[in-house]
Amino acid sequence: MELLAVSFSSSLAGNALFLARQHLCKWKNHSRFDLEAKFVRNKILNKSLRRGRRCLSEKTEASISCSTGTGEDPLIPVNKKLSDARVIYAVAPAMGHNQESHPESHFRVPSIVNALEKWELSPKAMDQASKQGIILIEGSGPTYATVDTFQESLVAAGAGIALIDAVVAESKISKSPPVGFALIRPPGHHAIPKGPMGFCVFGNVAVAARYAQRSHGLKRVFIIDFDVHHGNGTNDAFYDDPDIFFLSTHQDGSYPGTGKFEEVGHGDGEGTTLNLPLPGGSGDTAMRTVFDEIIVPCAQRFKPDIILVSAGYDAHVLDPLASLQFTTGTYYMLASYIQQLANDLCEGRCVFFLEGGYNLKSLSYSVADSFRAFLGEPSLASEFDNPAILHEEPSTRVRQAIERVKHIHSL
């Protein structure tokens, strides 16, 4: 299998969306799936966003759905505005992209969808695809590929692009457009412009950022990456770009070893990259402080036209690949605060992209609670989080890290 290099251009974005739509028509019958948009809780279809309707006769591996939080269940095929939704989300589980016992497994997205169904936040959907052969991508970290990986990675990138289209369209007719959430894999923020890295194949957020600029004229893109690992691929893609602000919080010393305080951008882009490595053991208190003292003032100063989020859930205290102490409640807070930030600064235009998260329970609970935040519903974090397993946060070291970033970036 040949994996092609990815450059972040408008032509790539268009091809990814086109090929994603073409790929969706290869599968068996399932009325749930469409690359376009539909409501979930009241299941109302929006005809203006169903250009790929013919795919509904066959099972597809990606969909974009919406949630209104109304609690209505019947399928009512009436023409109603997408702006009635509170969340638009894409599902691209990449079931053929799987290696047994690998943490970035094909169970990740289905576990999230199951959690959404448990709390009646989505319709029922997800079929297993058959296992395929495995290859390892040399020199890319622990990254694998199957015979389906290239096409499924295009579907993931295309689903993110379609979400950009939907959210931007709604922002033109609604003061409170729905938040977008790309429940897609393989993840993307480690993928560098020349190829795959660190479980990631295509830079999904990077592709979406360029697409938002070139197809929608959204010049200033603010990217927040709260994955436990540094998003080195996104960092590198826009390191000299003054119109894309990349802000990453991550565990100090974690894979891939990049994201130092001093990495602030280059040339015209100097100052539009901010990296905040947090000490191990940092948790909810640290992240709330970071949001108030770093993320908000940076976003206010940058004045973005859209906010994109690399939403990694592997900083959860139960996640096996790192040692931060985020909780389900931390992710509820981040979802709620970022949504409000988008409402305040860029007419509500905001799209989240799934990155890491390898404990299936903490991943699914945390994503579901993020959805509850978007819907304005109370958090259920107390039903999952166990404060007894948390240790005291390294508050002095967290404060030192925050003050160092504030000094470097004149905040």
Side-chain angles (χ1 to χ4, degrees):
M1 176 179 179
E2 182 181 9
L3 291 175
L4 304 180
V6 178
S7 61
F8 304 120
S9 65
S10 57
S11 61
L12 169 71
N15 290 337
L17 181 55
F18 172 76
L19 291 173
R21 285 180 175 146
Q22 294 295 101
H23 183 55
L24 297 187
C25 293
K26 293 182 179 178
W27 299 78
K28 298 178 182 178
N29 182 43
H30 200 307
S31 62
R32 150 82 161 85
F33 284 157
D34 189 314
L35 184 59
E36 306 305 333
K38 60 183 178 181
F39 291 84
V40 167
R41 292 298 296 278
N42 57 4
K43 303 181 180 67
I44 295 174
L45 302 182
N46 182 348
K47 293 182 181 178
S48 67
L49 291 167
R50 294 174 63 197
R51 296 184 297 276
R53 185 173 180 177
R54 292 181 181 176
C55 291
L56 286 174
S57 64
E58 308 175 28
K59 179 194 163 192
T60 64
E61 199 195 356
S63 68
I64 291 184
S65 303
C66 310
S67 183
T68 63
T70 62
E72 301 176 16
D73 287 328
L75 179 62
I76 308 173
V78 299
N79 195 10
K80 192 170 182 180
K81 289 183 179 179
L82 182 61
S83 53
D84 289 344
R86 300 292 299 278
V87 185
I88 309 171
Y89 68 97
V91 177
M95 299 300 285
H97 175 73
N98 180 56
Q99 177 184 358
E100 291 298 323
S101 302
H102 195 286
E104 209 294 288
S105 77
H106 67 332
F107 292 119
R108 295 178 65 229
V109 172
S111 72
I112 294 170
V113 174
N114 289 339
L116 297 180
E117 291 172 359
K118 178 179 179 181
W119 288 293
E120 298 182 345
L121 295 170
S122 85
K124 293 182 178 179
M126 200 60 64
D127 291 334
Q128 298 274 335
S130 61
K131 224 171 31 170
Q132 303 292 337
I134 300 292
I135 66 170
L136 298 179
I137 303 172
E138 187 174 353
S140 67
T143 310
Y144 66 90
T146 73
V147 295
D148 296 321
T149 294
F150 179 71
Q151 289 289 346
E152 290 181 329
S153 298
L154 286 176
V155 172
I161 289 168
L163 277 176
I164 296 289
D165 287 340
V167 169
V168 172
E170 285 308 305
S171 72
K172 296 177 180 178
I173 61 176
S174 171
K175 293 183 179 179
S176 299
V179 174
F181 203 123
L183 293 176
I184 57 177
R185 58 178 295 273
H189 73 151
H190 291 311
I192 55 179
K194 67 179 181 180
M197 182 176 178
F199 305 176
C200 303
V201 179
F202 291 165
N204 301 318
V205 168
V207 170
R210 279 286 185 251
Y211 180 79
Q213 288 180 319
R214 297 181 181 181
S215 294
H216 292 287
L218 301 176
K219 180 180 180 182
R220 299 176 70 77
V221 181
F222 192 79
I223 301 174
I224 301 169
D225 187 331
F226 56 71
D227 191 278
V228 79
H229 304 106
H230 178 238
N232 60 296
T234 316
N235 182 104
D236 293 355
F238 306 122
Y239 204 60
D240 58 358
D241 191 329
D243 294 322
I244 294 185
F245 196 109
F246 175 68
L247 189 156
S248 176
T249 62
H250 46 274
Q251 183 177 333
D252 191 13
S254 63
Y255 178 90
T258 53
K260 306 301 184 185
F261 290 101
E262 296 78 14
E263 295 178 34
V264 298
H266 177 264
D268 292 341
E270 184 174 354
T272 56
T273 297
L274 186 151
N275 286 297
L276 176 50
L278 293 169
S282 299
D284 188 79
T285 300
M287 201 59 202
R288 288 175 184 271
T289 306
V290 167
F291 193 90
D292 291 340
E293 298 189 22
I294 303 298
I295 296 176
V296 170
C298 280
Q300 290 175 336
R301 185 168 66 185
F302 185 68
K303 298 180 174 61
D305 297 312
I306 188 171
I307 295 175
L308 305 182
V309 184
S310 275
Y313 290 82
D314 44 3
H316 195 283
V317 64
L318 296 180
D319 198 273
L321 298 190
S323 57
L324 293 189
Q325 295 191 94
F326 289 13
T327 64
T328 306
T330 308
Y331 293 113
Y332 181 93
M333 175 272 295
L334 285 169
S336 178
Y337 286 10
I338 292 173
Q339 180 185 33
Q340 185 58 54
L341 192 64
N343 288 336
D344 293 342
L345 299 179
C346 51
E347 300 177 351
R349 290 185 289 267
C350 183
V351 181
F352 282 59
F353 292 75
L354 181 66
E355 298 287 359
Y358 307 103
N359 178 300
L360 296 184
K361 286 187 176 180
S362 62
L363 171 65
S364 55
Y365 272 79
S366 296
V367 173
D369 224 40
S370 297
F371 272 59
R372 296 184 68 84
F374 299 144
L375 296 169
E377 297 182 8
S379 172
L380 295 180
S382 61
E383 298 184 12
F384 183 71
D385 291 339
N386 179 10
I389 69 173
L390 300 175
H391 302 286
E392 183 178 357
E393 294 186 39
S395 56
T396 299
R397 293 172 61 201
V398 169
R399 172 47 58 186
Q400 290 172 344
I402 291 174
E403 291 302 324
R404 185 172 178 181
V405 165
K406 291 171 72 172
H407 174 73
I408 292 172
H409 290 270
S410 303
L411 295 173

